[in-house]
């Protein structure tokens, strides 16, 4: 997949603001600071297009990135942000749930989990929520380059056991620094957006 154009079309806070052009959408979910912005920048091959932040909970909207005018990457508020009020957390949660359960354009969910740590209760809840609604989900294990090669298999097993990942479930080891896993992600997008191309 060659990236020609990327445009942040809308930062939506309600359903009426979502794009209406029926393009395929790929949703990114994960804890605050899991690396969603870096993931987007890696996929679209732009260094600082999606802004990274050291302050958890900065993203407070559904951000629709139009890529090649063919599909959207949709970034949502990170979960697990203790500094955000309970009321706002609940509002974010309802907004994301409404999108997940009603959006026909949604083709794949990329659930980003920090490879360096055991998945949190929030990670487990999100994964089970996605599976409950029978959504197609790929787990993206970010920041893999931060773990030494000899320890990766042990860490991967810990994550599999915690999330109860089955043989048929999809996961990708990913690093925005080394580009590990990038081709696997773009291959998933390619097959959905450009099914008739080699």
């Amino acid at each position: 997949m060659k990236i020609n154009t990327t445009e942040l079309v809308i930062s939506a806070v309600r359903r009426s603001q979502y794009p209406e052009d029926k393009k395929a959408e790929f949703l990114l979910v994960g804890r605050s600071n899991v690396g969603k912005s870096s993931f987007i920048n890696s996929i679209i091959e732009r260094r600082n297009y999606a802004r990274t932040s050291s302050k958890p909970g900065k993203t407070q909207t559904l951000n629709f990135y139009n890529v090649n005018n063919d599909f959207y990457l949709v970034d949502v508020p990170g979960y697990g942000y203790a500094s955000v009020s309970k009321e706002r957390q609940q509002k974010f949660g309802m907004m994301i749930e409404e999108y997940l359960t009603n959006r026909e354009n949604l083709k794949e969910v990329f659930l980003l989990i920090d490879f360096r740590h055991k998945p949190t209760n929030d990670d487990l809840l999100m994964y089970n929520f996605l599976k409950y609604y029978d959504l197609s989900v790929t787990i993206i294990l970010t920041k893999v380059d931060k773990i030494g090669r000899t320890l990766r298999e042990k860490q991967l097993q810990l994550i599999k056991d915690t999330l109860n990942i089955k043989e048929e479930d999809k996961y990708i080891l990913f690093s925005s620094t080394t580009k590990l896993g990038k081709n696997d992600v773009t291959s998933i997008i390619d097959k959905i957006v450009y099914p008739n191309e080699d």
Side-chain angles (χ1 to χ4, degrees):
M1 179 172 63
K2 179 175 170 54
I3 304 299
N4 297 310
T5 60
T6 303
E7 179 186 7
L8 176 56
V9 175
I10 185 72
S11 294
V13 295
R14 63 184 67 90
R15 187 175 182 177
S16 62
Q17 296 175 321
Y18 297 167
E20 298 180 352
D21 51 12
K22 304 300 183 184
K23 291 181 175 65
E25 295 173 3
F26 299 85
L27 185 73
L28 316 178
V29 295
R31 293 191 73 222
S32 295
N33 288 357
V34 75
K36 286 194 279 107
S37 295
S38 297
F39 175 83
I40 293 170
N41 291 330
S42 177
I43 298 304
I44 67 174
E45 300 171 0
R46 300 274 290 275
R47 182 166 292 180
N48 294 308
Y49 193 83
R51 293 182 179 177
T52 58
S53 173
S54 59
K55 184 179 180 182
K58 184 177 180 185
T59 301
Q60 299 181 5
T61 55
L62 272 70
N63 295 327
F64 288 80
Y65 295 90
N66 184 339
V67 182
N68 286 349
N69 206 30
D70 288 332
F71 66 92
Y72 290 100
L73 293 177
V74 186
D75 186 22
V76 302
Y79 51 78
Y81 27 72
S83 62
V84 177
S85 71
K86 291 289 185 185
E87 182 182 354
R88 180 152 290 191
Q89 286 185 44
Q90 187 176 23
K91 190 175 181 181
F92 291 168
M94 289 171 63
M95 179 171 62
I96 295 168
E97 183 173 355
E98 194 277 336
Y99 174 89
L100 283 168
T101 56
N102 292 290
R103 189 65 171 168
E104 292 182 3
N105 301 356
L106 178 60
K107 302 302 180 185
E108 186 77 22
V109 180
F110 294 123
L111 171 59
L112 277 65
I113 292 177
D114 192 328
F115 187 68
R116 300 172 300 174
H117 308 296
K118 180 180 178 180
T120 65
N121 287 336
D122 286 332
D123 291 325
L124 185 56
L125 283 170
M126 177 58 76
Y127 184 57
N128 288 337
F129 177 86
L130 297 171
K131 299 291 281 186
Y132 176 80
Y133 281 103
D134 200 28
L135 295 166
S136 181
V137 56
T138 299
I139 299 170
I140 307 294
L141 299 170
T142 65
K143 308 182 183 182
V144 170
D145 58 290
K146 306 297 184 185
I147 296 288
R149 291 182 182 276
T150 56
L151 298 175
R152 288 182 187 176
E153 193 58 42
K154 181 180 179 182
Q155 187 64 15
L156 178 60
Q157 193 58 53
L158 171 65
I159 292 169
K160 283 182 173 181
D161 291 344
T162 304
L163 296 177
N164 194 25
I165 294 177
K166 305 290 194 299
E167 281 294 322
E168 65 272 15
D169 294 335
K170 299 173 291 184
Y171 65 88
I172 294 173
L173 300 178
F174 188 87
S175 167
S176 59
T177 303
T178 67
K179 309 306 178 191
L180 175 70
K182 179 187 171 185
N183 289 341
D184 295 319
V185 174
T186 56
S187 177
I188 290 172
I189 296 173
D190 276 341
K191 288 176 182 176
I192 293 170
V193 179
Y194 312 110
N196 298 321
E197 296 184 12
D198 294 331

